[in-house]
Structures are given as structure tokens and as C-alpha cells.
Amino acid sequence: MRKKIAAGNWKMNLGPITARAFVNDLLTQYPATCPGHPKIILAVPAIDLTTVASLLDGHKTISLAAQNLHQADKGAYTGEISAPMLVEAGCTHTLVGHSERREYFHEDNLLLHQKVRQALKNGLTPIYCFGETLAEREADQTFGVVEQQLREGLLTLEPAQFQQAILAYEPVWAIGTGKVATPAQAQEVHAYVRNLIQTRYGEEIAQETTILYGGSVKPDNAQELFACPDIDGGLVGGASLNVADFLAIANALP
Ligand code: 13P
């Protein structure tokens, strides 16, 4: 089901104490600043999950996401966290394949596909991230790279499973750099992706798929980006660590 969403990815920021203060502040400001109650997802560090889950306590429009999961149910994987553990902690969503996981932890499309399946098997909504580097964009490889990331990581799902997933296009060159893709650049890739989905799963599913944009989304560019026909919201890094900025972005959802 196509939804408009503002997702915050805290990355490796805020511990349980600072997370509690942040979420309390967010919950206090949310009703007044966001009268339309836009859908929000918070992707927080694993160590904060139970704290944030207890504060959200089944909130209707604010959901909790992990930033990563392991592909196995359980076992001898020191330092890892499984999907059943995330569910037990109160997660409903999880990021999969963020470019920082791809780059620093060498997660490839085939591993990410296992993670997507593992999330779905456990009732977690995967937010599958993909996007090209600056070198790939400059070499005119954007569409090819994005297509491969989707084909190998996501588009082998059966239609009913695919429909559970959320997509997030995050051009690597726009992440944390302040260099936002222009609405035209972002829309072009989003339209290309929706077209790929249409070819694979048909028009109806393509129209229902939520595709977020991520990469230097800020209060002053969110409205323009979210107004694009194939952009269904944002996956926000830096600006999600400031309550007022994040809520302003959420409030820019159409
Ligand atoms: P920034 O918003 O800080 O560029 O980060 C984007 C991102 O990586 C969200 O997952």
C-alpha cells in the first residue's frame, strides 16, 4: 500500500538516555507541529530499541525500525541481532542495505536479499536502500547500478512479499554531504524504479509501492522533493537528529 512516510535514520547516534529525551520531546511536539499526523518511522540504534518501543507503546502513526538485522534466526553470531529479537524488542520495520552497510560492512545484493526475506518471514517491513555512488553517476551508470541492486536484492520476491516492502533511493553522493539531488534528478530515478517494478509486478503493484528519497533531506528542500509524483517521502539522516527539523520534514509530506 503506497504511503507517504518520513523516516529518520539516526545511524550511530544517541544512546538510551539521549534517545529517551529525544523521543519524549518528539512526542510532545508532534501533535501541534504535524496536525495531519504524517506517518513517521524511527530507525534507531539497536541499543535504543526497547527504550524507544516503550515510549512509543504502539503509537498509531510513529513506528519503530531497526537499522540492520542478521539473516539467520539465531545462533553463534557474536555481536549480531536476529529478526525475532528485533520483533521481541518492538520493531515493525528494518532498514536493509543502507549504503553504509554496503560500503563499510561489505553487504552485497545477494546477502541483502537474504536479509529482506528474513525480515519478511518474521513480519518486519524491510526498507530496502539502494543508490549509486558519485563515480557511477558520473560514468552514466546510475540506472544500471540501481537496476542491479533491485533485481538481485528485491525483485526476485514473489508479488505478495514484494508488496510488503518499502524502497529507499539514496544516491551515495548526496548522503551526509549537503548535496541533495535536485527534485528532477531524484524524480527521474524514482520513475525509472517504478517502471522496473511495473515491468516485474504490473501497474497496480507499481503504483502502490512506497519509494522514499534519502540524501541531505532538510526542512528547506523536503517540500519540493515530496511534491514529485514518484517520491513518497524521505529517509532522513542528519536532520532526523533535530526534533524541530525532523517534524518540519514530516509536515512537508503532501
Ligand atoms: P543525510 O540525510 O544525513 O544525508 O543521510 C541520509 C541517509 O543516509 C538516511 O539513511
Side-chain angles (χ1 to χ4, degrees), residues 192 199-200 231:
Y192 180 80
T199 307
R200 168 70 178 92
I231 298 180

Side-chain angles (χ1 to χ4, degrees), residues 186-252:
Q187 166 59 24
E188 185 185 31
V189 177
H190 281 237
Y192 180 80
V193 168
R194 205 176 293 286
N195 196 48
L196 280 179
I197 299 167
Q198 181 174 336
T199 307
R200 168 70 178 92
Y201 296 109
E203 166 78 16
E204 196 177 330
I205 291 182
Q207 287 307 322
E208 283 185 355
T209 301
T210 299
I211 312 175
L212 307 178
Y213 167 80
S216 299
V217 177
K218 307 285 178 211
D220 63 1
N221 59 29
Q223 200 161 12
E224 246 193 328
L225 287 161
F226 298 168
C228 295
D230 289 299
I231 298 180
D232 303 312
L235 179 54
V236 186
S240 77
L241 294 167
N242 177 298
V243 171
D245 285 355
F246 185 53
L247 289 178
I249 290 168
N251 205 33

Side-chain angles (χ1 to χ4, degrees), residues 9 11 95 98-100 129 170 174-178 214-218 235-239:
N9 174 11
K11 307 192 180 185
L95 303 184
H98 190 279
S99 66
E100 289 146 19
C129 307
E170 297 206 305
I175 295 177
T177 58
S216 299
V217 177
K218 307 285 178 211
L235 179 54
V236 186

Side-chain angles (χ1 to χ4, degrees), residues 66-229:
Q67 297 178 0
N68 180 36
L69 77 163
H70 193 271
Q71 64 276 20
D73 287 335
K74 61 177 181 176
Y77 300 103
T78 302
E80 290 295 313
I81 297 178
S82 71
M85 289 156 70
L86 295 176
V87 171
E88 200 176 314
C91 282
T92 51
H93 296 67
T94 180
L95 303 184
V96 178
H98 190 279
S99 66
E100 289 146 19
R101 301 292 317 170
R102 292 175 185 265
E103 182 180 355
Y104 305 135
F105 302 95
H106 312 294
E107 297 193 356
D108 63 20
N109 295 331
L110 300 180
L111 171 66
L112 296 173
H113 186 64
Q114 291 176 34
K115 293 191 176 200
V116 165
R117 286 202 180 270
Q118 181 66 358
L120 290 166
K121 188 178 97 179
N122 288 277
L124 289 168
T125 300
I127 303 173
Y128 183 78
C129 307
F130 58 95
E132 81 288 0
T133 63
L134 183 60
E136 289 163 345
R137 175 161 282 265
E138 286 177 348
D140 259 340
Q141 292 168 347
T142 298
F143 294 131
V145 167
V146 161
E147 181 164 345
Q148 189 172 4
Q149 289 170 331
L150 289 170
R151 278 199 194 288
E152 295 181 354
L154 201 63
L155 299 182
T156 49
L157 290 175
E158 300 69 40
Q161 291 186 311
F162 175 82
Q163 284 177 285
Q164 307 303 314
I166 294 171
L167 280 65
Y169 169 57
E170 297 206 305
V172 179
W173 49 272
I175 295 177
T177 58
K179 271 192 215 162
V180 63
T182 64
Q185 282 174 318
Q187 166 59 24
E188 185 185 31
V189 177
H190 281 237
Y192 180 80
V193 168
R194 205 176 293 286
N195 196 48
L196 280 179
I197 299 167
Q198 181 174 336
T199 307
R200 168 70 178 92
Y201 296 109
E203 166 78 16
E204 196 177 330
I205 291 182
Q207 287 307 322
E208 283 185 355
T209 301
T210 299
I211 312 175
L212 307 178
Y213 167 80
S216 299
V217 177
K218 307 285 178 211
D220 63 1
N221 59 29
Q223 200 161 12
E224 246 193 328
L225 287 161
F226 298 168
C228 295

